[in-house]
Amino acid sequence: MAENCIFCRIVKEEIPSTKVYESDEFIAFTDINPAAPVHLLVVPKRHIPRLSDATPDDEGLLGRLLLAVGEVVRKNNIDDYRLIINDGPGAGQTVFHLHAHILSGRQLGEKLL
């Protein structure tokens, strides 16, 4: 865990959050600055600053992150959603602890790809 990381502090329950899911490896909670009516963050409890910092040793965790997203959307009755992982400040990452954004609850605009 990184001492000054806000997500590490949320994992340690030093900072309150509105949890919607928790397992041994992940926590999910509502974003305090939502970009959609439903905006959840799925965060590994283990600190990895960016997706690009992950190593082959993290392969299992990265796969389980996507499975955790599936659990979160099922448990929260979310049908259609967009999943986003920002990597680096130029991509919009503001907290340097790997996390996935689940956005839902409104039409999210035109397709990017």
Side-chain angles (χ1 to χ4, degrees), residues 45-94:
K45 291 182 176 180
R46 182 159 47 99
H47 183 84
I48 300 171
R50 298 169 54 160
L51 180 60
S52 58
D53 291 325
T55 69
D57 291 339
D58 299 313
E59 179 180 6
L61 178 82
L62 297 175
R64 290 187 300 276
L65 172 61
L66 295 179
L67 293 173
V69 166
E71 282 290 310
V72 170
V73 298
R74 281 189 294 280
K75 288 183 181 285
N76 289 276
N77 299 310
I78 299 169
D79 290 323
D80 298 327
Y81 62 94
R82 182 173 290 169
L83 183 65
I84 300 170
I85 297 176
N86 298 319
D87 192 313
Q93 185 177 8
T94 58

Side-chain angles (χ1 to χ4, degrees), residues 17-22 27-30 39-42 71-73 75-76 78 102:
S17 68
T18 304
K19 279 190 245 182
V20 297
Y21 172 83
E22 185 169 15
I27 184 171
F29 49 90
T30 59
H39 188 164
L40 306 176
L41 302 176
V42 182
E71 282 290 310
V72 170
V73 298
K75 288 183 181 285
N76 289 276
I78 299 169
I102 298 170

